[in-house]
Amino acid sequence: MNGRPDNAQPVAEPGTGPVAKGDPVPRVDARAKLTGAARYAAEHAAPDLVHGVVVNSAIARGRITALHLDDALAVPGVLEILSHRNRPRMRKLDLFYKDMTAPAGSPFKPFHSDRILYSGQPIALVLAETFEAARYAASLVRVDADAEPHETRLLSHLQRAHQPSRLKAGFSPPPKEKGNAQAAFDAAAVKVDSQYHAGVEHHNPMEMHATTVLRGEDGHLTIHDKTQGPQNCRWLVSHVFGLSRHQVTVKNAFVGGAFGSGLRPQYNLVLAVMAALRLKRSVRVVLTRQQMFTFGHRPETWQRVRLAADAHGHLRSVMHEAIAETSRLEDYAEVVVNWSGQLYACDNVKLDYRLVGLDHYSPIDMRAPGAAHGMHALEVAMDELAHALQMDPLALRLKNFAERDGATGLPYSTKALKACYEQGAARFGWAGRPLAPRSLRQGDELIGWGMATGQWDAMQMFARAHAELRADGSLIVSSAASDIGTGTYTVMAQIAAAAMGLPMERVLFRLGDSTLPVAPVEGGSSHVATVGSAVEGVCEKLQKTLLRFAHALPDSPFAKARFKDLRFRGGAMEWMDADTGAVRASTPLPALLAAAEVDRVEERYLMLPNLLRQKRYTRATHSAVFCEVRVDEALGVARVTRIVSAVAAGRIMNARLAASQVTGGVVWGISQALHEETHTDHRLGRFMNHNLSEYHVAANADIHDIDVIFVEEDDRIVSPRLGAKGVGEIGIVSVAAAVSNAIFHATGRRLRSTPMTPDKIMAPGPDWAAGDSAVGIPLVPR
């Protein structure tokens, strides 16, 4: 790596120099992205590239009776139209379609039969020499179908909710009841009983889902896919089409956002491979923005939270139940209610979580899945309880602070939540908050202050890493990780550079290739603790190899050096005096390779979590979110003008990128609170606002001051090598709750359904309208 490599190989800018863990190093992939050198899934070319455009179903349930293709096939440049009638050979068993993150049930199989299972289902793929021809021909495809009755309204079918299967990675069913929650609730002095509703949300990353399959002369398929796990996609393709793993390589060097939409391989991948095998040519399939609404989403969820306390604010009962949608095919499940049994100290807790199968595509993980809904309901209920008690909301949380996990009794590996409360409140000025709602006003706007607590799992999985130290002093580290915009390229190179004492620009981290050493799908805020620990581990193996080289030097000055007394800095290995800290010997790393007569040193490392030790603790990240809103009651407009988010996430590997992650999560939390919802026309069973003009997200004008604080924490249970936890999810958790609580403090009006749009803020009466329900309480949100 003499000089600067190709911009598509992200390395730090020349002159970056030595770095330490925690330094705010800029993104190493910034130049490639800003100059266009970074190529995304739909930007890889081939001389014989075929373009595919998907045709989607217009009904929600039924059977295809005829496909009228003559007009489409007559378009110049159209090569073929694939459907269930002429697809290439594919395996049929559910097992072959289960990717590494699939929930229990029967995965959706594109073009498997004439059955239509949801509105938007792909039913044909038009293949042409140009994208324009394929798109025009797709508009000419006509479909005859026998429609059958469909069900897409969650709130009308709560009575048939069922217990979910446990067979989904990351899902834990609610624990058994602790104590007697109903009796304690009935006997308590102060209680709240509230319902919550959250509509469907769609991910909508900037880069739409796309797959480019480049077919080699030998039939090898190099697949560029928008995914959060290239090995997961390779696994699926190999199994569905009966291909050897050596016949398929999946790459995702650059990903323009995903937020969970790329955890599972989407149907564009299967269709593109299907077409490449059929035509024996390279194929690209790109979904439109509208088609981004035809696969997974954050599920619509109904919740009921009942809290009870004594007159002094000690919790006596916590009851939290949730019912969410899933598809008819799979039991997509999330951890929604479990947080209510963990976060606060209470002797009587009852939790319940169930699913309703509807005629939708299976939901899929979206940033902080489960917690974004479950923590929202809990934290709004806690604010409501604080108001009933005439107690400061922060004081109520501190009074019921849980030193141990309330559900299991296990200690937390680390829990610096009290420091989050203290530092966040001080930065925000919470001590000046008046207790009564409607106490603050400026001009036509009411001002409110709200707060909420956040919690998310701190996970570590297993991963491998490969490192190659070259004679010129450059280092290449590799793992099949992904970077969906979170900064993986940068942080992994930074960890390696800090470990080996090399200038940052001399380190390249390679990722996004299924042929690289195994890494998990990037999700759940686990990449730093997992892949980062593997990088640290493989660098330690390199260090030990270099020490062996030093021991072998003639008249070696390192002859008596012990590994624990070594330090790597400035591109050299130093032997430090254990007593004085002085340097006893030093040699440049290239000199060690030269003396050993090798042009490179390679090491591999397998990072396995210490599960026996980790199971003795509850591992979580925590946050305290403080929010200021201004509400114009006449217009129903709420503006979030200030947010302070104090986060405890172990050791922070890169202060700049971690703060960026939390800031992005806060922006999305504001969007969840005030803007985002996908609306369904239940007569058609179809999502209606499937575009970015009608699916509202927070824009620049909606975002004001966001202040991120990282409290000091070092968790050697979650990641013994680094002390780090993840920060990707925790940024969004409970932001919407803090906004809701601030709106109540401003207006005295309690909003329990998201998004909290102007019509809800202005509407008289409660946030819920009367309606029939299986449990005898109102269910239908305005």
Side-chain angles (χ1 to χ4, degrees), residues 46-51 77-80 127-130 212-216 219-222 272-284:
D48 63 341
L49 188 67
V50 174
H51 297 265
V78 170
L79 301 171
E80 189 160 7
L127 299 166
E129 298 286 359
T130 67
T212 302
V213 182
L214 303 180
R215 186 178 185 275
H220 182 90
L221 303 181
T222 300
V273 174
M274 184 188 302
L277 293 175
R278 175 78 172 188
L279 299 180
K280 294 182 171 55
R281 288 178 62 177
S282 299
V283 174
R284 175 182 297 153

Side-chain angles (χ1 to χ4, degrees), residues 155-176:
L155 298 179
S156 297
H157 297 280
L158 299 181
Q159 70 281 357
R160 62 179 180 86
H162 65 272
Q163 296 292 332
S165 168
R166 301 184 177 210
L167 300 178
K168 180 184 181 295
F171 173 67
S172 298
K176 294 181 180 179

Side-chain angles (χ1 to χ4, degrees), residues 328-387:
R328 303 251 190 201
L329 295 174
E330 296 174 303
D331 265 8
Y332 171 78
E334 297 179 334
V335 177
V336 176
V337 300
N338 299 21
W339 318 100
S340 294
Q342 291 183 343
L343 193 56
Y344 299 112
C346 184
D347 293 331
N348 303 283
V349 180
K350 184 177 181 181
L351 310 172
D352 185 53
Y353 173 73
R354 288 171 289 158
L355 300 174
V356 174
L358 298 174
D359 296 306
H360 280 315
Y361 191 93
S362 295
I364 194 171
D365 291 346
M366 183 183 282
R367 197 171 197 165
H373 283 160
M375 289 293 297
H376 173 84
L378 172 65
E379 288 302 289
V380 174
M382 284 291 287
D383 193 79
E384 189 167 358
L385 181 64
H387 179 69

